[in-house]
């Protein structure tokens, strides 16, 4: 559908992403041949690739996002944590920098205690992380995760953090032009499976106004520190026992869950990205941004929750999308579409707004019922189960909520 709707389209290579969507020269070549002014990188593939952003800069094509320099700085999670510390933003206790040998890991482990988390500096998408529960396995876990990181990300650098067990994932949406640094409040992405987000919502049901302001101020300070431009997200974990937040990473791109913020602020973040990239200064100020109501997003994946979330590609013979007040569906699907097996299994995002969390939740349940992809198995029924779970209803749960639900 996007290809059909586009004014111009060009084939950049075969289906396999390393030969097309990840092929920087193919993407850049297509843009140059059409005389394109700019490239919007979306939220996957090359969206956080500093090398690609630099190649665009070199060719005089605007990369819609921050500078390659900032992507490079923040893309390395170790470097990002150092910058956060410099900006006075609290970070998860752990190693000061990269861990390269067992002796260093041992020293850090004595300080932070067990369980601890070994994370790849270049990790993403919930990959490149390992929980270590006891001293005995530290040495083998360290060498395994280092070689995994090398294979998956081409970078074996790892670092260590205390593994926090009673946490929420809370993140701040920012939009900056290098001089004005705005935040659009928070999104709560605690509903995760294997460190990957399933459901995102905003505002967070667990923050009070003081913490909310502190979190936003921390995010804005970090942006100021690197003179950030364009859209970004500062991710934090919020410790429910201590009621303290810690920076974990920054995503230097628009995120999958950005519609949650659009729904509660009424701002079009993609339009703002295009304006900032065009050199138009931000026209609004922090005081102009008001959070109204509550929004929830469900990531709809063509996966079978009964079969350990195995991807279920296939032909969408029938397609009906929910609609109505406060309901938005972002998708590339239409009837007749063949879901290919080559990419991420996300087929759409369903976002519901309500004046209250309860109204947004009820609307989402109705919308999930209305969504119809024919015979394609999706995660929609699983989302409904989560939304109806009493813990979700109460808003009181942590990042192990879904694992517990699946384990029962
Ligand atoms: P990614 O780059 O894959 O998004 P993140 O660093 O953002 O990785 O972490 C993804 C998720 O992993 C977080 O949302 C959180 O649920 C969990 N996580 C990350 N760091 C910690 C930690 N120190 N303790 C406990 N859980 C963590
Ligand atoms: P967000 O933080 O925006 O929610 P994710 O970390 O889930 O984003 O990643 C955005 C998109 O890119 C998702 O569709 C995800 O599956 C995909 N993605 C992220 N990292 C990788 C990766 N290393 N390999 C393949 N796909 C990835
Ligand atoms: Mg993350």
């Amino acid at each position: 559908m996007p290809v059909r709707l586009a004014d111009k389209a060009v084939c950049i290579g075969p289906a396999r992403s390393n030969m097309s969507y990840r092929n920087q020269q193919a993407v850049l070549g297509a843009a140059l041949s059409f005389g394109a002014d700019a490239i919007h990188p979306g939220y996957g593939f090359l969206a956080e690739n500093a090398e690609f952003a630099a190649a665009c800069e070199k060719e005089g094509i605007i990369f819609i996002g921050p500078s390659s320099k900032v992507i490079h700085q923040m893309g390395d999670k170790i470097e990002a944590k150092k910058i956060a510390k410099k900006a006075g933003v609290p970070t998860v206790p752990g190693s000061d920098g990269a861990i390269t040998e067992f002796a260093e890991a041992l020293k850090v482990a004595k300080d932070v205690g067990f369980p601890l988390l070994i994370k790849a500096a270049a990790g993403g998408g919930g990959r490149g992380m390992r929980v270590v529960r006891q001293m005995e396995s530290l040495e083998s876990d360290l060498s395994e995760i280092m070689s995994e990181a090398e294979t998956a990300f081409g970078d074996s650098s790892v670092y260590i953090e205390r593994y926090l067990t009673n946490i929420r994932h809370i993140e701040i949406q920012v939009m900056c032009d290098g001089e004005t640094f705005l935040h659009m409040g928070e999104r709560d992405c605690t509903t995760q499976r294997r460190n990957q987000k399933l459901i995102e919502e905003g505002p967070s049901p667990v923050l009070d106004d003081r913490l909310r302001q502190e979190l936003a101020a921390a995010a804005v300070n970090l942006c100021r520190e690197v003179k950030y431009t364009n859209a970004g997200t500062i991710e934090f974990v919020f410790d429910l026992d201590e009621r303290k937040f810690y920076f974990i990473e920054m995503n230097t791109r628009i995120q999958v869950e950005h519609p949650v913020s659009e729904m509660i602020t009424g701002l079009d973040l993609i339009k703002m990205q295009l304006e900032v990239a065009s050199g138009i200064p931000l026209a609004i100020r922090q005081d102009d941004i008001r959070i109204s109501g509550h929004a929830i997003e469900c990531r709809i994946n063509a996966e079978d929750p009964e079969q350990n979330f195995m991807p279920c590609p296939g032909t969408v013979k029938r397609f009906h999308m929910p609609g109505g007040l406060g309901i938005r569906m972002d998708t590339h699907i239409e009837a007749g579409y063949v879901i290919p097996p080559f990419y991420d299994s996300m087929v759409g995002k369903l976002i519901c707004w309500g004046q209250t969390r309860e109204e947004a939740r009820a609307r989402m349940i109705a919308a999930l019922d209305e969504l119809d992809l024919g015979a394609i198995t999706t995660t929609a029924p699983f989302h409904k189960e989560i939304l109806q779970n009493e813990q979700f209803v109460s808003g009181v749960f942590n990042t192990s909520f879904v694992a517990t639900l699946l384990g029962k």
Side-chain angles (χ1 to χ4, degrees):
M1 180 172 63
V3 172
R4 186 163 43 76
L5 294 178
D7 296 332
K8 288 180 181 174
V10 59
C11 182
I12 52 164
R16 279 185 40 208
S17 68
N18 60 335
M19 300 174 80
S20 48
Y21 299 110
R22 285 182 198 280
N23 179 343
Q24 303 191 13
Q25 285 317 311
V27 177
L28 207 54
L32 286 169
S33 73
F34 279 147
D37 302 312
I39 296 179
H40 194 299
Y43 45 68
F45 299 121
L46 303 173
E48 274 183 293
N49 190 306
E51 196 194 323
F52 181 66
C56 290
E57 286 160 10
K58 193 161 159 263
E59 294 294 345
I61 290 185
I62 298 169
F63 176 85
I64 302 169
S67 67
S68 59
K69 181 173 164 252
V70 170
I71 298 174
H72 182 75
Q73 278 180 319
M74 293 313 216
D76 181 335
K77 290 171 149 186
I78 296 172
E79 183 66 21
K81 271 186 91 169
K82 284 186 185 155
I83 296 170
K85 273 188 196 161
K86 210 172 140 213
V89 176
T91 57
V92 185
S95 59
D96 271 331
I99 295 285
T100 50
E101 43 196 271
F102 177 55
E104 293 169 289
L106 202 62
K107 207 163 148 260
V108 177
K110 282 186 180 135
D111 284 344
V112 304
F114 289 89
L116 57 77
L117 191 60
I118 309 180
K119 298 171 89 169
R127 289 154 68 238
M129 256 183 260
R130 179 171 303 201
V131 182
V132 186
R133 300 197 182 271
Q134 74 256 337
M135 194 67 91
E136 289 68 47
S137 63
L138 184 61
E139 189 163 15
S140 56
D141 279 328
L142 179 69
S143 65
E144 275 173 39
I145 190 99
M146 281 176 71
S147 59
E148 274 174 36
E150 180 63 49
T151 314
F153 314 111
D155 177 0
S156 67
S157 315
V158 298
Y159 61 109
I160 291 178
E161 279 183 356
R162 176 176 295 160
Y163 183 63
L164 303 164
T165 49
N166 190 18
I167 52 164
R168 311 245 339 170
H169 171 115
I170 304 180
E171 57 186 35
I172 304 286
Q173 174 69 53
V174 295
M175 183 68 73
C176 313
D177 63 10
E179 280 173 27
T180 302
F181 305 90
L182 304 175
H183 72 84
M184 279 82 193
E186 82 278 5
R187 292 184 293 257
D188 189 317
C189 316
T190 302
T191 312
Q192 301 182 349
R193 175 178 166 268
R194 298 191 175 166
N195 302 317
Q196 265 198 304
K197 301 158 187 169
L198 284 179
I199 299 180
E200 304 98 347
E201 59 179 307
S204 169
V206 300
L207 289 186
D208 56 41
D209 281 344
R210 188 184 60 86
L211 274 164
R212 181 166 281 127
Q213 276 170 22
E214 282 178 22
L215 209 54
V220 167
N221 286 343
L222 182 53
C223 292
R224 251 185 242 286
E225 181 71 36
V226 294
K227 294 204 170 54
Y228 196 78
T229 52
N230 222 291
T233 299
I234 326 280
E235 297 192 331
F236 299 89
V237 289
F238 177 66
D239 188 314
L240 287 162
D241 300 322
E242 297 183 347
R243 292 195 62 77
K244 275 190 188 154
F245 60 83
Y246 304 98
F247 167 84
I248 49 170
E249 68 154 343
M250 176 163 194
N251 287 158
T252 54
R253 55 173 162 90
I254 199 76
Q255 275 181 306
V256 170
E257 59 273 25
H258 77 276
V260 167
S261 303
E262 294 189 328
M263 296 287 259
I264 57 176
T265 59
L267 293 169
D268 182 337
L269 293 176
I270 309 303
K271 174 176 176 245
M272 292 173 88
Q273 278 199 295
L274 297 177
E275 285 172 347
V276 169
S278 314
I280 302 168
L282 286 166
I284 57 166
R285 292 294 166 263
Q286 194 61 54
D287 286 348
D288 300 323
I289 301 173
R290 297 253 185 279
I291 307 293
S292 161
H294 195 96
I296 304 176
E297 175 183 272
C298 291
R299 295 189 185 197
I300 311 295
N301 291 354
E303 291 173 356
D304 186 356
E306 305 285 321
Q307 304 283 332
N308 199 28
F309 294 83
M310 182 182 74
C312 300
T315 304
V316 182
K317 295 221 173 96
R318 195 175 67 225
F319 182 59
H320 174 77
M321 196 155 87
L325 179 68
I327 295 173
R328 163 177 172 180
M329 179 136 187
D330 287 7
T331 183
H332 55 285
I333 302 285
E334 58 185 346
Y337 180 69
V338 182
I339 301 169
F342 308 106
Y343 315 110
D344 196 87
S345 56
M346 191 167 76
V347 290
K349 308 183 287 183
L350 184 54
I351 311 101
C352 292
W353 179 90
Q355 279 176 333
T356 60
R357 183 173 189 265
E358 189 48 29
E359 189 177 59
R361 192 184 70 86
R363 225 167 237 163
M364 182 64 87
I365 292 168
L368 284 165
D369 275 336
E370 199 183 323
L371 177 65
D372 184 359
L373 272 86
I376 298 289
T377 305
T378 75
T379 48
F382 182 59
H383 280 297
K384 198 175 151 188
E385 190 186 328
I386 294 175
L387 287 156
Q388 290 175 323
N389 181 282
E390 61 182 51
Q391 259 190 288
F392 188 90
V393 176
S394 73
V396 186
F397 54 92
N398 63 30
T399 47
S400 50
F401 165 53
V402 174
T404 313
L405 197 69
L406 287 168
K408 75 164 192 240

PDB file of all heavy atoms in Angstrom, residues 77 119 123-126 129 169 171 192 195 197 235 248-251 253 255 257, ligand 3:
ATOM      1  N   LYS A  77      25.606   2.651  24.386  1.00  0.00           N
ATOM      2  CA  LYS A  77      24.912   2.813  25.667  1.00  0.00           C
ATOM      3  C   LYS A  77      25.866   3.161  26.811  1.00  0.00           C
ATOM      4  O   LYS A  77      25.454   3.784  27.788  1.00  0.00           O
ATOM      5  CB  LYS A  77      24.142   1.534  26.000  1.00  0.00           C
ATOM      6  CG  LYS A  77      22.943   1.299  25.078  1.00  0.00           C
ATOM      7  CD  LYS A  77      22.393  -0.087  25.332  1.00  0.00           C
ATOM      8  CE  LYS A  77      20.902  -0.137  25.097  1.00  0.00           C
ATOM      9  NZ  LYS A  77      20.370  -1.458  25.491  1.00  0.00           N
ATOM     10  N   LYS A 119      24.926  -6.085  29.776  1.00  0.00           N
ATOM     11  CA  LYS A 119      24.265  -5.509  28.598  1.00  0.00           C
ATOM     12  C   LYS A 119      25.288  -5.169  27.514  1.00  0.00           C
ATOM     13  O   LYS A 119      26.374  -4.676  27.815  1.00  0.00           O
ATOM     14  CB  LYS A 119      23.506  -4.222  28.988  1.00  0.00           C
ATOM     15  CG  LYS A 119      22.389  -4.458  30.001  1.00  0.00           C
ATOM     16  CD  LYS A 119      21.820  -3.149  30.512  1.00  0.00           C
ATOM     17  CE  LYS A 119      20.673  -2.634  29.658  1.00  0.00           C
ATOM     18  NZ  LYS A 119      19.982  -1.494  30.343  1.00  0.00           N
ATOM     19  N   GLY A 123      23.451  -3.001  22.010  1.00  0.00           N
ATOM     20  CA  GLY A 123      22.198  -3.781  22.007  1.00  0.00           C
ATOM     21  C   GLY A 123      20.976  -2.947  21.664  1.00  0.00           C
ATOM     22  O   GLY A 123      20.996  -1.714  21.717  1.00  0.00           O
ATOM     23  N   GLY A 124      19.892  -3.633  21.301  1.00  0.00           N
ATOM     24  CA  GLY A 124      18.629  -2.957  20.982  1.00  0.00           C
ATOM     25  C   GLY A 124      17.543  -3.971  20.734  1.00  0.00           C
ATOM     26  O   GLY A 124      17.827  -5.167  20.560  1.00  0.00           O
ATOM     27  N   GLY A 125      16.284  -3.493  20.720  1.00  0.00           N
ATOM     28  CA  GLY A 125      15.161  -4.377  20.442  1.00  0.00           C
ATOM     29  C   GLY A 125      15.040  -5.513  21.460  1.00  0.00           C
ATOM     30  O   GLY A 125      14.563  -6.591  21.132  1.00  0.00           O
ATOM     31  N   GLY A 126      15.489  -5.257  22.696  1.00  0.00           N
ATOM     32  CA  GLY A 126      15.401  -6.267  23.758  1.00  0.00           C
ATOM     33  C   GLY A 126      16.471  -7.345  23.648  1.00  0.00           C
ATOM     34  O   GLY A 126      16.493  -8.281  24.439  1.00  0.00           O
ATOM     35  N   MET A 129      21.210  -8.811  26.223  1.00  0.00           N
ATOM     36  CA  MET A 129      21.117  -8.621  27.674  1.00  0.00           C
ATOM     37  C   MET A 129      21.108  -9.976  28.352  1.00  0.00           C
ATOM     38  O   MET A 129      20.492 -10.903  27.841  1.00  0.00           O
ATOM     39  CB  MET A 129      19.771  -7.966  27.993  1.00  0.00           C
ATOM     40  CG  MET A 129      19.863  -6.516  28.308  1.00  0.00           C
ATOM     41  SD  MET A 129      18.242  -5.914  28.742  1.00  0.00           S
ATOM     42  CE  MET A 129      17.787  -5.156  27.225  1.00  0.00           C
ATOM     43  N   HIS A 169       9.070   0.610  33.312  1.00  0.00           N
ATOM     44  CA  HIS A 169       9.822   1.300  32.260  1.00  0.00           C
ATOM     45  C   HIS A 169       9.049   2.582  31.946  1.00  0.00           C
ATOM     46  O   HIS A 169       7.895   2.525  31.531  1.00  0.00           O
ATOM     47  CB  HIS A 169       9.922   0.418  31.005  1.00  0.00           C
ATOM     48  CG  HIS A 169      10.491   1.127  29.816  1.00  0.00           C
ATOM     49  ND1 HIS A 169      11.698   0.789  29.225  1.00  0.00           N
ATOM     50  CD2 HIS A 169      10.025   2.178  29.088  1.00  0.00           C
ATOM     51  CE1 HIS A 169      11.940   1.599  28.214  1.00  0.00           C
ATOM     52  NE2 HIS A 169      10.930   2.450  28.100  1.00  0.00           N
ATOM     53  N   GLU A 171       9.466   6.417  29.984  1.00  0.00           N
ATOM     54  CA  GLU A 171      10.319   7.162  29.057  1.00  0.00           C
ATOM     55  C   GLU A 171       9.720   8.528  28.758  1.00  0.00           C
ATOM     56  O   GLU A 171       8.504   8.717  28.842  1.00  0.00           O
ATOM     57  CB  GLU A 171      10.495   6.362  27.759  1.00  0.00           C
ATOM     58  CG  GLU A 171       9.172   6.013  27.079  1.00  0.00           C
ATOM     59  CD  GLU A 171       9.318   5.087  25.875  1.00  0.00           C
ATOM     60  OE1 GLU A 171      10.192   4.207  25.892  1.00  0.00           O
ATOM     61  OE2 GLU A 171       8.543   5.272  24.902  1.00  0.00           O
ATOM     62  N   GLN A 192       5.825  -5.574  29.106  1.00  0.00           N
ATOM     63  CA  GLN A 192       6.842  -6.082  28.183  1.00  0.00           C
ATOM     64  C   GLN A 192       6.915  -7.595  28.249  1.00  0.00           C
ATOM     65  O   GLN A 192       6.587  -8.199  29.257  1.00  0.00           O
ATOM     66  CB  GLN A 192       8.233  -5.568  28.598  1.00  0.00           C
ATOM     67  CG  GLN A 192       8.376  -4.072  28.637  1.00  0.00           C
ATOM     68  CD  GLN A 192       9.801  -3.656  29.011  1.00  0.00           C
ATOM     69  OE1 GLN A 192      10.624  -4.471  29.438  1.00  0.00           O
ATOM     70  NE2 GLN A 192      10.103  -2.378  28.844  1.00  0.00           N
ATOM     71  N   ASN A 195      11.834  -8.193  27.626  1.00  0.00           N
ATOM     72  CA  ASN A 195      12.393  -6.840  27.500  1.00  0.00           C
ATOM     73  C   ASN A 195      11.940  -6.097  26.243  1.00  0.00           C
ATOM     74  O   ASN A 195      12.547  -5.109  25.857  1.00  0.00           O
ATOM     75  CB  ASN A 195      13.920  -6.867  27.548  1.00  0.00           C
ATOM     76  CG  ASN A 195      14.434  -7.500  28.822  1.00  0.00           C
ATOM     77  OD1 ASN A 195      13.914  -7.217  29.900  1.00  0.00           O
ATOM     78  ND2 ASN A 195      15.404  -8.376  28.714  1.00  0.00           N
ATOM     79  N   LYS A 197       8.642  -4.157  24.350  1.00  0.00           N
ATOM     80  CA  LYS A 197       7.361  -3.554  24.698  1.00  0.00           C
ATOM     81  C   LYS A 197       6.195  -4.211  23.960  1.00  0.00           C
ATOM     82  O   LYS A 197       6.286  -4.478  22.765  1.00  0.00           O
ATOM     83  CB  LYS A 197       7.411  -2.061  24.341  1.00  0.00           C
ATOM     84  CG  LYS A 197       8.526  -1.329  25.072  1.00  0.00           C
ATOM     85  CD  LYS A 197       8.922  -0.043  24.349  1.00  0.00           C
ATOM     86  CE  LYS A 197      10.154   0.559  25.011  1.00  0.00           C
ATOM     87  NZ  LYS A 197      10.745   1.651  24.207  1.00  0.00           N
ATOM     88  N   GLU A 235      14.956   6.896  27.941  1.00  0.00           N
ATOM     89  CA  GLU A 235      14.347   5.778  28.661  1.00  0.00           C
ATOM     90  C   GLU A 235      14.907   5.663  30.081  1.00  0.00           C
ATOM     91  O   GLU A 235      16.114   5.772  30.289  1.00  0.00           O
ATOM     92  CB  GLU A 235      14.579   4.467  27.899  1.00  0.00           C
ATOM     93  CG  GLU A 235      13.916   4.462  26.526  1.00  0.00           C
ATOM     94  CD  GLU A 235      13.885   3.088  25.864  1.00  0.00           C
ATOM     95  OE1 GLU A 235      14.791   2.259  26.127  1.00  0.00           O
ATOM     96  OE2 GLU A 235      12.961   2.842  25.064  1.00  0.00           O
ATOM     97  N   ILE A 248      18.377   4.585  31.469  1.00  0.00           N
ATOM     98  CA  ILE A 248      18.984   3.388  30.871  1.00  0.00           C
ATOM     99  C   ILE A 248      19.533   3.636  29.471  1.00  0.00           C
ATOM    100  O   ILE A 248      20.613   3.190  29.135  1.00  0.00           O
ATOM    101  CB  ILE A 248      18.070   2.132  30.887  1.00  0.00           C
ATOM    102  CG1 ILE A 248      16.670   2.411  30.356  1.00  0.00           C
ATOM    103  CG2 ILE A 248      18.038   1.496  32.277  1.00  0.00           C
ATOM    104  CD1 ILE A 248      15.839   1.131  30.133  1.00  0.00           C
ATOM    105  N   GLU A 249      18.791   4.353  28.628  1.00  0.00           N
ATOM    106  CA  GLU A 249      19.321   4.616  27.288  1.00  0.00           C
ATOM    107  C   GLU A 249      18.503   5.707  26.599  1.00  0.00           C
ATOM    108  O   GLU A 249      17.440   6.079  27.073  1.00  0.00           O
ATOM    109  CB  GLU A 249      19.317   3.346  26.421  1.00  0.00           C
ATOM    110  CG  GLU A 249      17.928   2.849  26.052  1.00  0.00           C
ATOM    111  CD  GLU A 249      17.909   2.039  24.747  1.00  0.00           C
ATOM    112  OE1 GLU A 249      18.852   2.100  23.944  1.00  0.00           O
ATOM    113  OE2 GLU A 249      16.890   1.353  24.523  1.00  0.00           O
ATOM    114  N   MET A 250      19.051   6.192  25.480  1.00  0.00           N
ATOM    115  CA  MET A 250      18.294   7.141  24.663  1.00  0.00           C
ATOM    116  C   MET A 250      18.090   6.542  23.282  1.00  0.00           C
ATOM    117  O   MET A 250      19.011   5.978  22.693  1.00  0.00           O
ATOM    118  CB  MET A 250      19.035   8.465  24.530  1.00  0.00           C
ATOM    119  CG  MET A 250      18.312   9.439  23.617  1.00  0.00           C
ATOM    120  SD  MET A 250      18.872  11.125  23.801  1.00  0.00           S
ATOM    121  CE  MET A 250      17.557  11.990  22.941  1.00  0.00           C
ATOM    122  N   ASN A 251      16.875   6.664  22.770  1.00  0.00           N
ATOM    123  CA  ASN A 251      16.605   6.267  21.381  1.00  0.00           C
ATOM    124  C   ASN A 251      16.587   7.539  20.546  1.00  0.00           C
ATOM    125  O   ASN A 251      15.732   8.408  20.745  1.00  0.00           O
ATOM    126  CB  ASN A 251      15.275   5.522  21.255  1.00  0.00           C
ATOM    127  CG  ASN A 251      15.348   4.105  21.830  1.00  0.00           C
ATOM    128  OD1 ASN A 251      14.345   3.518  22.180  1.00  0.00           O
ATOM    129  ND2 ASN A 251      16.533   3.550  21.936  1.00  0.00           N
ATOM    130  N   ARG A 253      15.620   8.558  17.737  1.00  0.00           N
ATOM    131  CA  ARG A 253      14.727   8.448  16.580  1.00  0.00           C
ATOM    132  C   ARG A 253      13.299   8.558  17.071  1.00  0.00           C
ATOM    133  O   ARG A 253      13.057   8.578  18.269  1.00  0.00           O
ATOM    134  CB  ARG A 253      14.925   7.083  15.910  1.00  0.00           C
ATOM    135  CG  ARG A 253      14.725   5.944  16.917  1.00  0.00           C
ATOM    136  CD  ARG A 253      14.732   4.575  16.287  1.00  0.00           C
ATOM    137  NE  ARG A 253      14.965   3.527  17.253  1.00  0.00           N
ATOM    138  CZ  ARG A 253      14.015   2.896  17.938  1.00  0.00           C
ATOM    139  NH1 ARG A 253      12.747   3.233  17.768  1.00  0.00           N
ATOM    140  NH2 ARG A 253      14.326   1.957  18.809  1.00  0.00           N
ATOM    141  N   GLN A 255       9.894   6.752  17.906  1.00  0.00           N
ATOM    142  CA  GLN A 255       9.694   5.376  18.350  1.00  0.00           C
ATOM    143  C   GLN A 255       8.352   4.829  17.904  1.00  0.00           C
ATOM    144  O   GLN A 255       7.428   5.566  17.558  1.00  0.00           O
ATOM    145  CB  GLN A 255       9.763   5.303  19.874  1.00  0.00           C
ATOM    146  CG  GLN A 255      11.175   5.168  20.406  1.00  0.00           C
ATOM    147  CD  GLN A 255      11.161   5.070  21.902  1.00  0.00           C
ATOM    148  OE1 GLN A 255      10.599   5.931  22.559  1.00  0.00           O
ATOM    149  NE2 GLN A 255      11.773   4.043  22.448  1.00  0.00           N
ATOM    150  N   GLU A 257       6.056   3.734  19.678  1.00  0.00           N
ATOM    151  CA  GLU A 257       4.945   4.150  20.537  1.00  0.00           C
ATOM    152  C   GLU A 257       4.693   5.652  20.552  1.00  0.00           C
ATOM    153  O   GLU A 257       3.935   6.151  21.394  1.00  0.00           O
ATOM    154  CB  GLU A 257       5.162   3.636  21.962  1.00  0.00           C
ATOM    155  CG  GLU A 257       6.452   4.108  22.651  1.00  0.00           C
ATOM    156  CD  GLU A 257       7.673   3.237  22.371  1.00  0.00           C
ATOM    157  OE1 GLU A 257       7.708   2.571  21.329  1.00  0.00           O
ATOM    158  OE2 GLU A 257       8.600   3.246  23.204  1.00  0.00           O
TER     159      GLU A 257
HETATM  160 MG1  LIG B   3      15.196   0.541  25.140  1.00  0.00          MG
END
